[in-house]
Amino acid sequence: IPKIELYKQTTINGENSEPIKIQNKKQRYFKEKTNGFCCNSYLHFIAIYDPDGALWKEGNLYLLSKLKRQSTSICPVPQKTIKDIAKGLIEFRSWCLENSVDFLTDHEFELQRPTFKYAIYLYDEMERGNVALSTAKKRATQVVNFYFHLIDSGYKFKHDLFGGVTERSVYYLNAEGRSMTKNVTSTAIHKMFSMASEASISQDYIEDGGKLIPLTEDEQKALINSLKRIGNIEMTLIFLLAITTGARMQSVLTMPKSIFDNSKHCVKGFYHVGIGPGTQVDVKNNKPHVIHIPKKLYEMVCVYLDSDRYKSRLKKSHYKEDDSNDQYVFITSHRNPYYSRRGDGKIVHLKNVPEGNQIDSFIAKKIIPDLRINDEMFNFRFHDLRATYGINLVRSEMDRIGKFD
């Protein structure tokens, strides 16, 4: 849905109420603004439909609950988050319909209850190699959370749907390095996939919200040579920013022009740039931090922003009338951002929310074939560049320390 309004429905015509029409309802209804949601409207909301064209009530109400103020610290909730939850619910709903499972009916026997039946199905799919462990685990968790919501909303089930629920405190370090605690809810279904995770542990990756595999020095050289041969300046700058700063995809692709102005000063070969809230640059969990852009790369981006190629893309985009400092650095050949910022109202004009899909497509259709042709073949994901930055930083520090030996 391109845009939905979020409001409180009432039969009272208050001072700030507006009338609304509801089909087949004789009663007059009005809408009022409410503080219950994190925003007054939401762009590109995903709605779930059944095969007969009817809205799936329970699934859509669960998605709407994610927009409630108490459900999130990030406002508005990223479209990618809603989309991923919706995808998990759609897969669950389709499985229920295909297997004649009534998702609101539990069963006397534990393994016949919808939550356990679906978890077993996911586990079997994982063992057959049809779905990755991480995906199976995530889909099972999404369904468990959906049932938690149903119970909180007043739905009654005779039997335990989760095989027992336990809570425990987990200690972790926040972005400032301070020790924090959070409560984690666990069920028998969670434990089923956790045991599989422990059995598949490998030391060849870095854990950062996913398994990241750093590129070796030879692979980094091969990647840079490939980017040179392909000659796409936008992609070259995007990949270099990722590998030299450790910034995530959404951070690199939502950078505004204001980052690359003449007011900033270079310190010891780097431009130190704040990203996060108040900077127009999206970051994970909305936590502010600083990235360090090498002087030569910073200047390369400045030259690109003054080029006819960039100006041509910007001229026909939805963002041409924006303040020049807020304009996206990276715009596609179709004049849209590669990744839309959180709260970007102009995405209402777009059919799909830009989420960096063109980066993955560029890797698959351009870089991988080029590496194969030049006998430098290896597979990687864009997010692996973040791990690569981390390893390069460690190597640099070790070399520095070695000079004092």
Side-chain angles (χ1 to χ4, degrees), residues 45-49 56 59-60 62-63 66 79-94 139 142:
F45 183 79
I46 304 295
I48 304 175
Y49 292 85
W56 182 29
N60 288 307
Y62 176 57
L63 291 177
K66 293 299 179 181
Q79 281 86 1
K80 194 170 185 178
T81 300
I82 296 295
K83 183 178 179 180
D84 190 57
I85 296 172
K87 183 178 180 181
L89 291 181
I90 290 169
E91 290 181 6
F92 172 65
R93 180 61 167 162
S94 298
R139 294 292 179 245
Q142 288 170 334

Side-chain angles (χ1 to χ4, degrees), residues 121-324:
Y121 158 75
L122 289 172
Y123 198 92
D124 288 344
E125 286 292 285
M126 178 194 71
E127 291 208 315
R128 293 190 187 102
N130 296 330
V131 64
L133 168 60
S134 58
T135 302
K137 185 177 181 180
K138 178 168 66 173
R139 294 292 179 245
T141 298
Q142 288 170 334
V143 169
V144 167
N145 291 338
F146 169 61
Y147 277 93
F148 279 147
H149 167 77
L150 290 179
I151 293 170
D152 290 341
S153 300
Y155 286 81
K156 304 295 183 182
F157 297 93
K158 294 180 180 179
H159 306 286
D160 178 13
L161 297 174
F162 314 110
V165 178
T166 58
E167 287 193 4
R168 60 190 176 94
S169 295
V170 176
Y171 292 87
Y172 67 98
L173 297 179
N174 66 8
E176 290 78 35
R178 297 175 182 173
S179 179
M180 306 288 287
T181 62
K182 63 178 179 180
N183 292 328
V184 176
T185 300
S186 182
T187 69
I189 293 173
H190 289 119
K191 292 175 183 177
M192 180 193 305
F193 291 94
S194 295
M195 291 171 64
S197 298
E198 292 172 3
S200 63
I201 289 177
S202 167
Q203 299 300 320
D204 296 328
Y205 63 82
I206 292 176
E207 186 70 40
D208 181 42
K211 295 178 175 62
L212 311 184
I213 302 176
L215 275 61
T216 66
E217 291 187 34
D218 287 341
E219 288 171 343
Q220 292 176 58
K221 292 176 183 177
L223 172 60
I224 292 172
N225 288 334
S226 178
L227 289 167
K228 288 180 180 178
R229 288 191 294 266
I230 295 169
N232 184 308
I233 183 61
E234 289 82 13
M235 289 295 177
T236 298
L237 295 175
I238 288 168
F239 278 73
L240 290 178
L241 281 166
I243 206 169
T244 59
T245 70
R248 298 175 186 275
M249 179 188 289
Q250 66 263 41
S251 298
V252 174
L253 299 183
T254 56
M255 286 181 176
K257 287 181 64 177
S258 58
I259 285 180
F260 301 93
D261 59 26
N262 296 320
S263 64
K264 291 183 173 58
H265 300 287
C266 180
V267 179
K268 295 182 179 180
F270 291 90
Y271 285 86
H272 307 287
V273 177
I275 61 175
T279 68
Q280 299 277 36
V281 181
D282 280 9
V283 293
K284 186 176 181 179
N285 296 328
N286 220 27
K287 294 180 179 178
H289 56 279
V290 176
I291 59 172
H292 312 285
I293 305 176
K295 180 175 184 290
K296 184 175 181 180
L297 179 55
Y298 186 94
E299 292 171 348
M300 287 172 63
V301 177
C302 290
V303 170
Y304 168 71
L305 291 175
D306 195 43
S307 68
D308 291 338
R309 180 182 174 99
Y310 175 74
K311 292 175 182 177
S312 174
R313 292 190 174 200
L314 184 61
K315 187 176 180 180
K316 296 182 180 180
S317 77
H318 292 299
Y319 301 84
K320 61 184 177 182
E321 296 176 356
D322 284 359
D323 181 275
S324 60

Side-chain angles (χ1 to χ4, degrees), residues 1 13 40 55 62 74 114 263 265 282 285 316 338 378 384:
I1 300 174
N13 186 5
N40 294 324
L55 286 165
Y62 176 57
I74 300 176
S263 64
H265 300 287
D282 280 9
N285 296 328
K316 296 182 180 180
Y338 285 93
F378 64 93
D384 291 334

Side-chain angles (χ1 to χ4, degrees), residues 86-108:
K87 183 178 180 181
L89 291 181
I90 290 169
E91 290 181 6
F92 172 65
R93 180 61 167 162
S94 298
W95 174 84
C96 287
L97 294 173
E98 290 171 5
N99 294 276
S100 301
V101 174
D102 183 350
F103 74 98
L104 291 178
T105 301
D106 53 0
H107 198 280
E108 180 181 358

